[in-house]
Amino acid sequence: MEKRLELDKIETDFQYELCEISDYTGRESRSFKFTIPSGSRGKKIVFPVGCDGDFVDIAFNAHSFRHPTFSLTAGGQGYYAAQGFEVAIGEYDTVIVPYAPFDRFEIEVLTDEGDVLIVNDLRCVKDEMPQDLLQGFLAMELPKVGVGQVCVQTGDRHVELPCVLPTNTVIEMDGERYQLEVVGTRATFKDTMTRTVPRDYEGDIYVQTECRIGHLDDVAFPSVVLWYSSPKPDLRAVRREEYRVFGLDAWIKERTQYEKWTVQIEVVGAYAEWVQHVASYVRRFLETNRVYVNGKRFTFEWTQAAVDTDPTTYLDIQPSVAYVVEISLQEEFLWQVVQKGSGKLRTAIPKLG
């Protein structure tokens, strides 16, 4: 689960501009490049945005063109602080600090050395697996195909189709999506999507590919359905991240071990031609080898041969093809507060569950 914050206002003395370098642009929001001159210690970049809710992390993506800091071994070594926490900003990556409700997000310069800093994708995050993982796969680009023109009026619950389509087909008409119950060429709009026409419309309609998590009700045609299997441990070293706050406390993030999730991407259609057309888009997505989960980029592997299913009789199952991918990631659950020097756990925030 994530709440993305639009960085549309900035308060700072530094010169800045939109960043158009493709390697450092934001996933969905604008990316900003700040020019930080020498002697800027104590100056800040302030984003006057706020967030209040049930989250664990504040995250943003950043890149420093100065020689990167890979780890902080003592307080005062960091080049930047985010919300009062020293953070290591080097190569373009996600920076994370503990969540607390805020109405201004601040990045402070901790050194007098000059730099060029890129910042984008500010968000508040709480992991909820596997929902967050599958939400990432929902972003794949899928096709729509024009099938003719229609004429409808405000309040209509029916449409006369220009061709025969199977029941449960999803169409797009004037920016709205409808799922159809079809008898001949007359279709009724089902309750699963828009039920009535919101305004008069005469123009093109499209068969729209749906992407959804599991079969919630009747399957939509055509559609891409996402399934998952419970994770298995991916045995690798668990990294401990430490962020030092100014004062008496050190903040330590305890992370669970890596888990390997299996995701099945199933293409379902009323006709084999539909299945193969949509499957070509799914394969293009698999070629990218990456997915964004709560704004962080992860790579996955297409691990098994696709499984094609063809109906053998009229009443048999619908044609489909299934792809299986594997992805390893960590759920990030807990920030802990430890008193400096004592090594003893004092409290944990937030307490989940």
Side-chain angles (χ1 to χ4, degrees):
M1 177 180 69
E2 65 173 340
K3 179 180 180 180
R4 305 179 62 79
L5 306 176
E6 185 58 46
L7 307 181
D8 54 349
K9 296 180 181 179
I10 300 173
E11 298 174 2
T12 184
D13 294 330
F14 304 134
Q15 293 183 350
Y16 66 90
E17 59 184 334
L18 285 176
C19 175
E20 298 181 354
I21 306 173
S22 59
D23 288 343
Y24 309 124
T25 52
R27 178 170 54 111
E28 296 176 1
S29 65
R30 290 181 295 175
S31 183
F32 293 95
K33 181 172 66 174
F34 299 89
T35 300
I36 300 174
S38 300
S40 297
R41 184 193 300 268
K43 293 185 178 181
K44 296 180 179 180
I45 301 168
V46 178
F47 302 99
V49 295
C51 185
D52 187 6
D54 183 19
F55 298 98
V56 175
D57 297 324
I58 304 172
F60 63 99
N61 293 341
H63 176 84
S64 169
F65 284 92
R66 181 196 287 118
H67 184 72
T69 299
F70 293 104
S71 62
L72 300 178
T73 58
Q77 291 187 346
Y79 296 139
Y80 297 98
Q83 295 298 83
F85 298 91
E86 288 186 43
V87 292
I89 299 178
E91 295 296 322
Y92 184 69
D93 202 357
T94 300
V95 181
I96 301 174
V97 295
Y99 171 80
F102 62 92
D103 55 15
R104 293 162 62 86
F105 185 80
E106 299 183 352
I107 299 175
E108 182 180 356
V109 180
L110 302 181
T111 177
D112 282 324
E113 299 180 32
D115 192 14
V116 174
L117 179 69
I118 293 173
V119 176
N120 55 53
D121 282 346
L122 178 63
R123 56 201 183 270
C124 298
V125 177
K126 180 174 75 172
D127 283 353
E128 292 182 341
M129 298 300 173
Q131 293 92 330
D132 291 343
L133 173 60
L134 297 180
Q135 283 290 333
F137 283 91
L138 285 178
M140 72 175 72
E141 180 182 351
L142 295 172
K144 62 180 180 181
V145 179
V147 292
Q149 293 191 329
V150 295
C151 180
V152 291
Q153 296 181 337
T154 303
D156 282 354
R157 286 207 62 193
H158 309 276
V159 62
E160 190 68 27
L161 298 172
C163 59
V164 177
L165 296 174
T167 289
N168 290 329
T169 295
V170 174
I171 64 168
E172 181 182 300
M173 180 173 62
D174 192 22
E176 302 285 340
R177 290 188 178 186
Y178 305 82
Q179 189 169 18
L180 307 181
E181 182 78 39
V182 182
V183 178
T185 59
R186 181 176 173 82
T188 302
F189 305 139
K190 301 183 70 172
D191 295 342
T192 52
M193 297 183 186
T194 310
R195 291 188 60 187
T196 59
V197 177
R199 52 196 166 270
D200 293 353
Y201 176 72
E202 182 176 359
D204 295 328
I205 66 169
Y206 302 88
V207 172
Q208 175 66 58
T209 305
E210 284 289 292
C211 187
R212 56 176 61 184
I213 299 173
H215 292 295
L216 302 179
D217 243 324
D218 294 328
V219 64
F221 295 139
S223 64
V224 174
V225 185
L226 304 175
W227 307 89
Y228 74 94
S229 299
S230 294
K232 58 184 178 182
D234 187 1
L235 302 178
R236 65 177 79 178
V238 178
R239 181 163 58 98
R240 190 185 221 198
E241 295 183 352
E242 183 172 341
Y243 297 81
R244 301 179 185 275
V245 65
F246 308 114
L248 299 177
D249 300 322
W251 296 71
I252 297 175
K253 181 148 197 182
E254 299 288 356
R255 313 178 80 180
T256 61
Q257 70 177 26
Y258 279 89
E259 296 173 332
K260 181 172 289 187
W261 293 83
T262 299
V263 177
Q264 177 175 302
I265 305 171
E266 182 180 5
V267 182
V268 184
Y271 309 121
E273 293 81 1
W274 284 10
V275 171
Q276 293 307 315
H277 181 58
V278 175
S280 67
Y281 281 78
V282 173
R283 290 194 296 273
R284 290 178 200 173
F285 171 76
L286 296 180
E287 289 173 0
T288 67
N289 200 41
R290 64 177 181 269
V291 65
Y292 289 88
V293 181
N294 287 333
K296 298 178 70 174
R297 186 173 69 179
F298 293 90
T299 59
F300 58 79
E301 295 180 337
W302 179 10
T303 57
Q304 300 178 22
V307 178
D308 290 275
T309 303
D310 295 314
T312 56
T313 69
Y314 176 75
L315 297 177
D316 204 348
I317 58 177
Q318 299 296 331
S320 66
V321 59
Y323 301 86
V324 175
V325 301
E326 289 188 345
I327 179 172
S328 293
L329 47 79
Q330 289 175 307
E331 294 181 79
E332 303 184 15
F333 278 124
L334 187 64
W335 283 96
Q336 296 179 329
V337 183
V338 178
Q339 187 148 1
K340 268 187 181 176
S342 69
K344 294 181 179 179
L345 179 68
R346 193 181 71 185
T347 186
I349 55 172
K351 184 176 181 180
L352 303 179

